[in-house]
């Protein structure tokens, strides 16, 4: 199989490192370029990067010379994990230079002509790419995005319910892992023996992204799903794995069995990084737990538990996903696999 | 001032230790009896107790001989922090033997003739005591209770809103401290780098206790407040301090300023353990936090923050209280102070 | 290849679970029997076990019926992770019944006729088995042991130095992970925001086991290595991975390069669970770290760093190993592989 | 009593905040000036400071306007908690401008004419001040320092032994709290489920400062104590409280009782911040522990436990002190009290 040569923007950061880790031994991709801030450019990756994942820097990237974050770089596909402060301008420059930009940044997620993808849910939103190319004059380049890491933890079970029963409203309280803030990110003085009730900018992102992801693509645009979302977002002392406490009102009546079945039977895809089970629903009373379940399906499965009727809403449940795999680098890689599978790349 | 002699049932446990700590230097109470399981009875408190609070066992209790948990014990007032498995029978025995039993256990909280007290909110529920004595043939003994530690964190701001605007429904997600499970309680293998989505029996307690606390006493019984409550309860890696993420629908229209003012102006009492401010509302975006705010008002103040309009409900906010002070021993002591102040003791 | 059928004593405990995890897909062993306390016996493993490792109970053991911990059980080889309170009597019974007992318990470690094995270091101590069989009248059964998990973290680099330069004395301070205490083990109330300066029975174990491991087998007995060992043992807030701070006085002069080379070149074996590198010495100033390095060599490599000349001793260094893999189940499995390789089984 | 007006350099940092907290209600000092980096200068303290200690910013400093860190500032005494990068030049400027500079920084600690004080141990080193003034032409200004926070945890018991029996050599392994690194300091990604084996620059500081503190002042200079010190320094997941694992060889023979008595009877002083007990020796096997014992004596007592004969050294023990109280701000305040008591200020 032909291997696509991929470049990573923001390669030394937390998500950049996760990209490198997840791409080890990938049958479709090989890493050919690593771009990072001017401070790192010119050094080898081993010199530039303070590796924070388990183990040491993989051999295949140790000696790659880090390049500045500007096009062109030596690759077929660009993965971007740039901070949102620089992502908007830089990702556009890469798209304009002809690169497929598969972004984990928040900059373009809510742009009307940019797909916000969870491949199992809304692969048809890829239809926006042609519109985007025309509107922005991008040539063969384009931008696709994956959602905020907190949204990913509960959007899949929501999609399962939305498709079968319709959704009236959703209330979610998230308990998010420290790795979501990158490195050095959250000070140990802030999170030890503590909960932080505030993550800058997070609650609005969670509230609006869900509606777009579950929206309908027709006539060249996304019609957002018309349910209300309320999100309160907390940081808790967990390394990886965002937990969401969810209540939902459905449009149609559904039994508990219907609800569980809708989640369990929501199909996964057949892409390389697709988990065997997309939504794993457990009846174990004390699951899901981030430390035990975040690696479910190599970090690509959404774990759901404690599905019960609720006193105020129709149902409640707890959902969990790995925030730097399914919620970041893994999602972007899955998006790239989807783009190849659908012939866009 | 005459000092009441108090006995503590379950004196060696986490809450028992907190009773002893909070009673140091108390102007109205002196500790005269410490009762604990048969394993401890006959030893001195210093021998029987694995002290887990900061510092060492206070001098005034070190040499007290621990007695079995059965009446009579040598005191005027009994504080009970017994596990619910034994509390029901034992507390009744003490009440029947003529002791005022001020209980932190869950056993009697929902009994129709037992006050479930937060003194600032429902001191008039003390009217149940006479009815209780008659019904149960208790003589001068009686039982009063304080709420579940998770309920205490959000019932006060709720009471403030209930009194002014009425409440239609409430949705709460709690993030509870490990000390709530006692000692040894939560295994470090379970909570390190983790969140537990299940606390046995907690969600129903939280859902029903709030309605009783905010209920109305008339014609010799409590009419429960008629709003719906939904609770999802989580254990997070925090030593002390339960955090609640709350949404609420009001019966009457209220502006954000109204809502904040209702909370801020809800009066504290003038009892010895009363905090100067009962509900402390902050506009600081990243507060309240358990580590920084649990000791607010010596652990007796409810800290509230992030009060905002909500997409699905009328309002949302975050509330926090110290679960072993305001949520347990401190509440019980405040109840005792109230009983003296109102002439019941 | 013929697969040996193995039974696990104490199968529901922390180390028992690790045995099951590490034996997944093992080419030489298949699990045929799981024994646990009377409380568990008769249930399926899935019913009896509160699984605490990442993920869920492996399919191949879910439905095995747990048997009581008494011989015979249906297997060729017995792995024992029994608590020391019951290990002595039970392991003897299994050995007497003809089973090779490969024990992680401390009960027999210091018995003169029982090998205390780190295969890379003292495989020749297997010569004790014949003596043991004769002395105890065991028939074909026997007992071999692996060291205390704290000893394993620093005995390998010590062995490297001992072999080349001789050792005069060793001072070690350990910082041990909570998983070393099993489950529920260390209360979260004890270890959160804390260090525990005491682990019951640990310091003497660490001090005496090192001398036996590095001892010489001749004339049918082990001559202990004649250096002094001082150990202070602490529990720190780490899930897995024991860290040891070590100072050592050598008998012969050695340069820093000599010391590092002795460690780096100490050979690994060619057994299935042998790591490629036995002792991995890093010059990275802030390594080894338990979270990043405990899985080095699938948890079977010893990671060493910060090797420097010392003001009081000749050299100092930091050593780290995975306490439930190399320090427990992984060591026992390696011992079994060694026994097969040497034809003892 | 006349109150001295004090200024704090580096007032917004972790130690600066601790100064403010410890000076609340101090009978001899009132805060009159707060100096911080240019970024903060001109703002009120409440605007400039991200308060990280329990509770909220004290009323008496909220509205003080932060000044730049250059002399003169409006005060009688200067407390400095400047980072060492700027401390050397700045502290000299303040001393030259006539201010007594009581510094927590490492810059001048090892200068031959600057006292490195633990008041209970070496108050006579104040004799260096006159020499310092002459040598540097300081006029009435001068600089005194307190030791590195890790040294403070074990230097007091060492001083007790040194004075009675003489010391040959000392080996110490420290387990240091995260607050020692300031704020934001240690990333939560680094310390969660982890131990860090390296603190930049710490080991040499610990090794040399102990010798100066226990040195002898005569003929206008300090003769360093002539024992060898070996230090390995680790960061562990503790908020406050440095723990030291210590072995010591004495020059004279001493029984265990002698050793314990020497520590227990080492006198405290009668200064305002002096603890009643300077060195608190416990026989409790599992103490001292940072969370339970760091506040011993309001954070000014050194807690010692696990004093035992050692296999390699004469004795071993565990020592603990509060690193931002006795190890930083509290020490500096005690130094100021000493300077007043001895008539230097």
């Amino acid at each position: 199989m032909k291997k696509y040569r991929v470049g990573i923007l923001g390669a030394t950061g937390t998500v950049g490192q996760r990209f490198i880790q997840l791409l080890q031994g990938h049958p479709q991709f090989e890493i050919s370029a690593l771009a990072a801030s001017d401070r790192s450019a010119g050094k080898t990756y081993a010199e530039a990067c303070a590796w924070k994942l388990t183990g040491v820097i993989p051999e295949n990237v140790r000696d790659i010379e880090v390049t500045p974050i500007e096009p062109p770089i030596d690759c077929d596909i660009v993965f971007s994990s740039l901070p949102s402060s620089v992502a908007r301008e830089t990702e556009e420059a890469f798209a304009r230079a002809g690169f497929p930009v598969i972004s984990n940044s928040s900059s373009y997620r809510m742009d009307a002509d940019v797909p916000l993808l969870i491949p199992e849910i809304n692969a048809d939103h890829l239809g926006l790419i042609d519109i985007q190319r025309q509107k922005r004059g991008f040539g063969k380049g384009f931008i696709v995005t994956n959602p905020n890491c907190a949204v990913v933890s509960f959007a899949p079970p929501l999609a399962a319910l939305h498709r079968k029963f319709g959704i009236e409203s959703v209330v979610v309280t998230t308990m998010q892992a420290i790795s979501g803030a990158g490195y050095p990110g959250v000070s140990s003085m802030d999170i030890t023996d503590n909960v932080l009730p505030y993550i800058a900018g997070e609650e609005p992102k969670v509230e609006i992204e869900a509606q777009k992801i579950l929206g309908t693509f027709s006539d060249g645009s996304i019609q957002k799903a018309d349910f209300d979302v309320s999100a309160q977002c907390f940081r808790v002392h967990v390394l990886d794995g965002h937990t969401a406490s969810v209540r939902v009102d459905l449009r149609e009546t559904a039994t508990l069995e219907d609800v569980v079945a809708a989640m369990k039977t929501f199909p996964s895809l057949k892409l390389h990084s697709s988990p065997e089970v997309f939504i794993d629903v457990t009846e174990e009373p004390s699951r899901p737990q981030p430390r035990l379940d975040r690696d479910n399906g190599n970090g690509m499965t959404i774990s759901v538990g404690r599905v019960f009727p609720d006193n105020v809403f129709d149902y409640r449940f707890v959902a969990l996903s790995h925030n730097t795999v399914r919620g970041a680098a893994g999602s972007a890689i899955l998006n790239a696999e989807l783009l190849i599978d659908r012939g866009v790349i």
Side-chain angles (χ1 to χ4, degrees), chain A:
Chain A
M1 187 192 291
K2 179 206 163 185
K3 282 208 177 182
Y4 292 87
R5 304 170 72 250
V6 304
I8 299 170
L9 311 185
T12 56
T14 306
V15 175
Q17 294 180 26
R18 190 64 84 174
F19 269 117
I20 289 169
Q21 187 191 57
L22 294 177
L23 289 169
Q24 295 303 305
H26 196 288
Q28 296 169 286
F29 304 120
E30 62 185 344
I31 298 170
S32 59
L34 298 172
S37 65
D38 293 347
R39 201 178 54 246
S40 301
K43 299 180 185 169
T44 65
Y45 187 71
E47 289 163 353
C49 177
W51 186 260
K52 292 295 166 185
L53 298 179
T54 293
V56 295
I57 298 179
E59 279 304 319
N60 67 325
V61 296
R62 287 191 63 83
D63 299 328
I64 294 182
E65 185 182 318
V66 176
T67 62
I69 311 175
E70 51 193 42
I73 62 174
D74 180 29
C75 65
D76 306 317
I77 297 172
V78 162
F79 289 120
S80 167
S81 60
L82 294 173
S84 47
S85 55
V86 300
R88 195 156 181 95
E89 203 172 339
T90 306
E91 293 182 354
E92 179 178 345
F94 275 90
R96 202 166 294 287
F99 290 92
V101 177
I102 297 163
S103 171
N104 181 54
S105 164
S106 64
S107 298
Y108 285 94
R109 283 183 198 148
M110 294 307 296
D111 278 36
D113 59 344
V114 176
L116 178 59
L117 296 170
I118 295 181
E120 293 87 344
I121 297 175
N122 62 3
D124 62 318
H125 292 198
L126 290 179
L128 284 175
I129 291 176
D130 282 343
I131 293 152
Q132 182 193 131
R133 282 167 163 159
Q134 286 168 22
K135 183 177 152 200
R136 305 196 188 228
F138 271 172
K140 68 187 178 69
F142 61 88
I143 299 170
V144 299
T145 62
N146 56 265
N148 170 284
C149 52
V151 174
V152 177
S153 64
F154 69 92
L158 224 55
L161 301 182
H162 183 59
R163 195 169 287 181
K164 290 266 182 174
F165 317 112
I167 289 178
E168 188 77 36
S169 60
V170 180
V171 166
V172 61
T173 299
T174 65
M175 285 155 276
Q176 303 186 211
I178 54 178
S179 61
Y183 182 84
V186 180
S187 165
S188 58
M189 294 296 292
D190 280 333
I191 200 65
T192 301
D193 184 16
N194 213 6
V195 167
L196 302 175
Y198 177 59
I199 301 172
E202 195 79 353
E203 293 176 355
K205 278 188 217 164
V206 170
E207 291 175 343
I208 59 176
E209 293 186 11
Q211 295 168 325
K212 178 171 179 182
I213 296 163
L214 273 58
T216 310
F217 178 66
S218 65
D219 290 335
S221 71
I222 305 291
Q223 180 73 25
K224 285 184 194 167
D226 67 337
F227 49 78
D228 294 319
V229 188
S230 157
Q232 285 181 298
C233 295
F234 294 79
R235 186 80 69 193
V236 294
H237 201 172
V238 165
L239 276 163
D240 292 309
H242 288 355
T243 303
S245 156
V246 185
R247 276 88 163 190
V248 61
D249 261 346
L250 305 176
R251 292 201 186 271
E252 294 174 24
T253 303
T255 67
L256 179 58
E257 289 67 34
D258 293 339
V259 163
V260 168
M263 294 179 185
K264 280 187 166 172
T265 60
F266 199 96
S268 188
L269 299 178
K270 299 292 178 195
L271 304 171
H272 174 71
S273 301
S274 297
E276 199 176 296
V277 176
F278 180 38
I279 305 174
D280 188 6
V281 186
T282 179
E283 292 181 13
E284 190 70 40
S286 65
R287 301 289 276 267
Q289 296 176 18
R291 189 166 75 80
L292 300 184
D293 295 309
R294 60 194 172 205
D295 291 328
N296 197 349
N298 292 317
M300 293 298 284
T301 290
I302 310 299
S303 297
V304 172
R306 300 196 63 72
V307 189
F308 295 118
D310 186 77
N311 286 342
V312 173
F313 284 77
D314 290 339
Y315 289 98
R316 70 203 200 191
F317 59 88
V318 176
L320 170 89
S321 76
H322 194 302
N323 59 299
T324 67
V325 181
R326 174 55 89 161
S331 260
I333 293 170
L334 193 67
N335 283 350
E337 293 167 3
L338 177 73
L339 287 160
I340 294 167
D341 183 67
R342 301 297 162 98
V344 183
I345 296 181

